[in-house]
Amino acid sequence: MKFGGTSVQDAEAMNRVINIVRRQWADNPGDRPPVVVVSAMSKVTDRLVETSRLAAEGQADQAAQIIGELLTRHLGVASTLVQGPALEELNALLTSDFRALETDVREWAAQHEVTPAASDVIQAIGELASSRIVAAAFRQQGVDAAWVDSRQVLVTDGEHSAALPDMDATAERVSAIVGSKTAAGQVPVMGGFIGATPAGVTTTLGRGGSDYSAAIFGACLDVDEIQIWTDVDGMLTADPRVVSNPLLVPELSFNEASELAYFGAKVLHPSTIVPAVARNIPVRILNSRRPEVRGTMITANGRGDGQALTALACKRSVTVIDITSTRMLMAFGFLRRLFEVFERFKTSVDVVTTSEVSVSVTVDNTRRLEDILSNLRNFAEVSTERDMAIVCIVGENLRSDPTLFSRAVTSLNTVPLRLVSQAASRRNITFVMRDADVTTAMNLLHDQFFGAKVGA
Ligand code: ASP
Ligand code: MG
């Protein structure tokens, strides 16, 4: 059970976490105890990044001031949740951790240098502190929890700020350290995002890395399910800013989640749950403010719940480039030449359609557009259209049910379509249209495919 920054943002949120864990465990008394992974309290990592920056600029006092503020915030939450000798012990630990960090940071500021390794030490304190508090709060409320130092469990390479796990070494430590706690009936509580090299040097997995930690630990423990508790109900059938009545997606495949994440519909980054999906462990997204909502389950294959499609997505403000050349007729090497231009100007292409003598592509990054166009004009006629958009329908069923495509096109009858493309995976169909038509198109499609069903 992984709880993100907003799910542990203050004492009230941490109390919700305790209730969620307790209730779930009580509902499944025969199960192994859950393993709890927490992020830093919300905004803490941002402030620590700022601390690094200030120290690198030599601003010792400003950096130390942030550390002091963060200590105060953590002590405040601790004193709301924990009492007596346990509170004294917790306060002493938090204080000594933050004071030690302050000493280090002042030294780094004096040298005007914060190495990537030092920056990871600074950022790690967020997860170390939040996990210590949550563990103590559990015990205060009678749950037998044990704090586990993730740096002793998650073994990584030395790529600071983007460390990769050594799964074999981590699995050994997980079963020795975490497994022994659960076997003894204790709830292990650990920080996400952080690890250490085999030599014990602190590392971090990259921003948002707590999901990755949860997937790594879950895979090593071969758990039944990984739960990512956040502050939204799960994935929706469409962006609520575009469609007025989106539904919750109850279940989707890992590949569908990846397609949707590409369009910005990301509640979590699918690549971070690869270790879990690779072992067929379902990952469920849940809302810690509304634990009664069933959330969204991501599995290797997805199963759907009878809906024809899984979700819709859109990407606004893209530019269409039409490239026409009679030389393309029966020529080879033309596409390569064309795409080399995009490569040279480091611009990625989203949708591509081709006919015998023309190619149309969309780009959303127009930084180097003028260079691209003038290079393309060396061998083709080129025109562009701005203020376009991509609308995409996603669903594993698109592979098996060819009528879904015509249903989609029919429902869009009043909307002028500029390009249409079906991915080779046939897990999505993409329409390119004027940006001005996106709201109409998305709502028409949503009514067509999700309209009949009520409630999520
Ligand atoms: N605390 C880290 C961050 O804000 C990791 C996480 O929350 O997943 O990026
Ligand atoms: Mg986070």
Side-chain angles (χ1 to χ4, degrees), residues 366-429:
T366 51
R367 219 168 24 92
R368 308 296 299 273
L369 189 60
E370 287 314 314
D371 291 326
I372 291 170
L373 297 181
S374 74
N375 273 267
L376 289 171
R377 286 198 175 105
N378 289 334
F379 56 91
E381 278 167 46
V382 185
S383 64
T384 62
E385 238 176 313
R386 290 173 185 269
D387 299 320
M388 304 297 280
I390 300 171
V391 165
C392 180
I393 64 177
V394 176
E396 295 285 353
N397 288 347
L398 286 165
R399 294 201 275 186
S400 52
D401 185 351
T403 66
L404 295 177
F405 176 68
S406 55
R407 260 177 80 188
V409 174
T410 308
S411 71
L412 290 173
N413 64 355
T414 58
V415 179
L417 300 177
R418 187 66 173 66
L419 311 175
V420 178
S421 155
Q422 179 163 33
S425 70
R426 289 191 291 155
R427 203 172 281 120
N428 81 48
I429 293 172

Side-chain angles (χ1 to χ4, degrees), residues 39-40 45 127 193 207-210:
S39 285
T45 310
E127 269 71 9
F193 178 58
R207 294 304 305 271
S210 293

Side-chain angles (χ1 to χ4, degrees), residues 6 78 106 116 126 169 240 269 310 319 397:
T6 53
R106 284 190 180 278
H269 206 294
T310 300
T319 298
N397 288 347

Side-chain angles (χ1 to χ4, degrees), residues 73-86:
R73 178 171 166 200
H74 285 85
L75 292 177
V77 173
S79 66
T80 312
L81 293 169
V82 186
Q83 283 129 43

Side-chain angles (χ1 to χ4, degrees), residues 2 6 70 117 150 169 176 203 260 271 305 314 323 334 338-339 342 358 382 418 432 444:
K2 179 263 171 176
T6 53
L70 291 175
S150 298
T203 54
L260 292 168
S271 63
D305 66 338
C314 59
I323 304 142
F334 178 78
L338 190 159
F339 283 114
F342 290 91
S358 75
V382 185
R418 187 66 173 66
V432 177
L444 286 170

